[in-house]
């Protein structure tokens, strides 16, 4: 708890351009949570270097992502928006937690296995202990809830195990975090293969709508989206492409699938796809305008970076000092 509020932590990596899926599935909901919780939203740049990065590009993308958090509607006065690498406590706690994590546990992480297979030439120790750094992110702020996608649930489960293990040895040091369950974000699928999640790393540019796509591109991608030959606008499993488009439409217009099916009853796919494209443009255009305006305001962004790193650092130190004392590090002499 910070004051009256429970603590919420989440983070995103600044690798690749964000997609509509990242926005509708995560960012948009983060905004709706910021009144109820004390929120920490990190740009987790330390996680990014587990895969080889071009330094100037990573730096630029990290700043772009931080700016995008604000453009999406996160008020940087109310939400702690900061770079993970600016708060040294993440690395310090991660080291300690490494000593409370078993290799057997890390061996079971499915994301590690996937990534190791995809980057066989660089299976570094950081990639392996990535989930421990993530545990440190979360536990450093005494986090109560973590909104994460399915792909990160296993890491959150590990975080809870590590925290419980530590607490059972040293007493109640860490808050045990829960996954955020509530109005979960829309799960947006690839426009070209509706059995796959929309991803920022898809090789097919038509599969994903990027947040910075211009209106023509958005409409073109929607028109080309894979559907079926049923010819009926219905929301059902047998028509996954169409169902995904309905999900996108609903998330962009705050309608329900039932309302949407009714609205387009008897109309063709072409017309519906056009409406989806326009709905997406309706969401992306104001976001892009805010983003452009904000990125030109260097002073504002710099101030957010500095002040929020200080704020995060303050809470991080509180937890870290407690942990260091518990494990037996000598006291500092002042
Ligand atoms: N691993 C997460 C991802 O790739 C990002 C992340 C890092 C994160 N630390 C976190 C998410 C802590 C939630 C909480 O999506």
């Amino acid at each position: 708890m910070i004051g009256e509020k429970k603590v919420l932590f989440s983070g995103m990596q600044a690798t690749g351009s964000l997609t509509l899926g990242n926005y509708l599935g995560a960012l948009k909901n983060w905004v709706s949570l910021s009144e109820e919780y004390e929120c920490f939203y990190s740009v987790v740049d330390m996680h990014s270097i587990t895969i080889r990065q071009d330094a100037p590009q990573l730096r630029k993308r990290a700043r772009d992502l931080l700016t995008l958090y604000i453009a999406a509607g996160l008020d940087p006065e109310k939400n702690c928006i900061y770079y993970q690498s600016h708060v040294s406590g993440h690395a310090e706690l991660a080291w300690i937690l490494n000593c409370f994590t078993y290799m057997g546990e890390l061996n079971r992480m499915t994301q590690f296995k996937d990534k190791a297979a995809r980057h066989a030439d660089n299976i570094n120790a950081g990639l392996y202990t990535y989930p421990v750094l993530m545990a440190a992110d979360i536990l450093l702020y005494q986090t109560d809830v973590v909104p994460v996608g399915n792909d990160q649930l296993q890491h959150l489960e590990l975080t809870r195990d590590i925290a419980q293990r530590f607490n059972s040895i040293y007493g109640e040091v860490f808050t045990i975090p829960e996954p955020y369950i509530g109005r979960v974000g829309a799960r947006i699928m690839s426009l070209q293969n509706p059995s796959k999640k929309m991803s920022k790393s898809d090789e097919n540019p038509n599969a994903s709508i990027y947040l910075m796509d211009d209106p023509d591109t958005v409409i073109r991608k929607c028109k080309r989206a894979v559907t079926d030959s049923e010819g009926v606008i219905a929301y059902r499993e047998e028509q996954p492409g169409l169902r995904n488009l309905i999900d996108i439409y609903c998330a962009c217009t705050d309608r329900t699938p039932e309302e949407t099916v009714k609205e387009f009853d008897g109309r063709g796919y072409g017309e519906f796809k056009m409406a989806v494209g326009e709905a997406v443009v309706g969401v992306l255009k104001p976001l892009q305008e805010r983003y452009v305006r904000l990125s030109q305001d260097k002073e504002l962004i710099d101030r957010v970076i500095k002040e929020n790193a200080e704020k995060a650092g303050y809470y991080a130190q509180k937890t870290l000092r407690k942990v260091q004392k518990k494990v037996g590090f000598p006291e500092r002499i002042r």
Side-chain angles (χ1 to χ4, degrees):
M1 303 287 281
I2 293 181
E4 303 273 277
K5 289 183 178 174
K6 287 193 167 177
V7 176
L8 180 152
F9 185 99
S10 200
M12 264 190 216
Q13 293 202 47
T15 33
S17 308
L18 289 200
T19 69
L20 184 66
N22 298 119
Y23 177 71
L24 297 177
L27 261 183
K28 186 171 176 242
N29 297 294
W30 287 7
V31 175
S32 68
L33 295 167
S34 53
E35 287 300 323
E36 190 179 345
Y37 295 95
E38 186 70 39
C39 298
F40 292 83
Y41 292 121
S42 189
V43 172
V44 291
D45 48 357
M46 290 164 69
H47 278 92
S48 298
I49 63 163
T50 53
I51 287 165
R52 206 64 78 223
Q53 303 289 338
D54 174 69
Q57 179 171 294
L58 177 60
R59 203 168 358 259
K60 173 164 192 318
R61 285 183 165 166
R63 189 169 174 110
D64 290 349
L65 181 58
L66 186 129
T67 306
L68 201 61
Y69 280 4
I70 307 171
L74 293 174
D75 178 349
E77 304 287 330
K78 289 194 193 138
N79 301 276
C80 192
I81 295 172
Y82 74 101
Y83 294 131
Q84 181 187 31
S85 64
H86 282 191
V87 178
S88 61
H90 289 260
E92 293 176 78
L93 182 61
W95 172 254
I96 296 174
L97 297 182
N98 262 319
C99 303
F100 292 83
T101 307
Y102 297 114
M103 289 181 61
E105 291 177 305
L106 295 178
N107 287 337
R108 286 198 289 275
M109 295 293 123
T110 58
Q111 193 173 66
F112 169 70
K113 290 188 231 178
D114 287 353
K115 286 193 181 172
R118 272 189 284 136
H119 302 275
D121 56 334
N122 182 21
I123 306 178
N124 61 73
L127 191 65
Y128 187 60
T129 59
Y130 174 116
V132 185
L133 179 59
M134 183 163 156
D137 299 341
I138 295 168
L139 300 178
L140 202 48
Y141 300 97
Q142 304 292 352
T143 300
D144 294 283
V145 291
V146 186
V148 279
N150 274 334
D151 59 327
Q152 298 298 318
L153 272 181
Q154 195 186 29
H155 293 160
L156 187 57
E157 206 43 57
L158 176 69
T159 302
R160 290 166 53 86
D161 290 342
I162 297 171
Q164 269 152 356
R165 181 172 307 141
F166 196 94
N167 284 359
S168 73
I169 304 172
Y170 299 108
E172 295 303 303
V173 178
F174 293 123
T175 302
I176 309 296
E178 305 272 348
Y180 175 80
I181 325 239
R183 216 179 61 88
V184 275
R187 187 171 152 82
I188 305 300
M189 313 304 280
S190 154
L191 297 180
Q192 293 298 315
N193 176 0
S195 64
K196 247 179 37 183
K197 211 170 123 175
M198 185 180 284
S199 156
K200 34 186 180 179
S201 49
D202 207 305
E203 305 98 51
N204 184 345
N206 287 320
S208 310
I209 295 175
Y210 295 100
L211 293 188
M212 293 301 145
D213 278 350
D214 60 53
D216 288 347
T217 307
V218 170
I219 301 226
R220 180 168 41 79
K221 288 179 178 177
C222 287
K223 279 191 184 158
R224 288 196 188 158
V226 168
T227 45
D228 54 70
S229 51
E230 303 266 333
V232 192
I233 296 195
Y235 188 72
R236 48 194 212 117
E237 241 162 81
E238 293 78 7
Q239 293 170 265
L242 195 63
R243 196 170 61 160
N244 187 39
L245 290 175
I246 295 176
D247 282 335
I248 294 174
Y249 185 75
C250 290
C252 291
T253 57
D254 285 319
R255 284 184 177 73
T256 64
E258 295 74 41
E259 287 166 348
T260 305
V261 168
K262 220 162 150 196
E263 184 182 348
F264 289 92
D265 183 37
R267 297 206 248 165
Y269 288 180
E271 201 180 326
F272 179 56
K273 285 176 171 179
M274 193 67 203
V276 175
E278 279 165 3
V280 172
V281 170
V283 168
L284 293 192
K285 219 165 150 240
L287 179 79
Q288 292 170 354
E289 285 164 5
R290 282 194 299 273
Y291 174 80
V292 168
R293 223 179 312 120
L294 280 163
S295 18
Q296 288 160 351
D297 195 342
K298 182 172 183 304
E299 214 172 296
L300 171 83
I301 301 294
D302 283 350
R303 186 163 51 80
V304 169
I305 291 172
K306 179 168 180 287
E307 287 178 1
N308 280 323
E310 283 165 5
K311 178 175 166 191
Y314 168 80
Y315 290 107
Q317 280 302 315
K318 284 215 312 200
T319 302
L320 191 63
R321 290 285 175 260
K322 210 189 276 180
V323 171
Q324 289 171 329
K325 190 168 171 199
K326 291 287 188 186
V327 299
F329 292 172
E331 263 177 64
R332 273 150 217 268
I333 313 291
R334 267 186 280 228

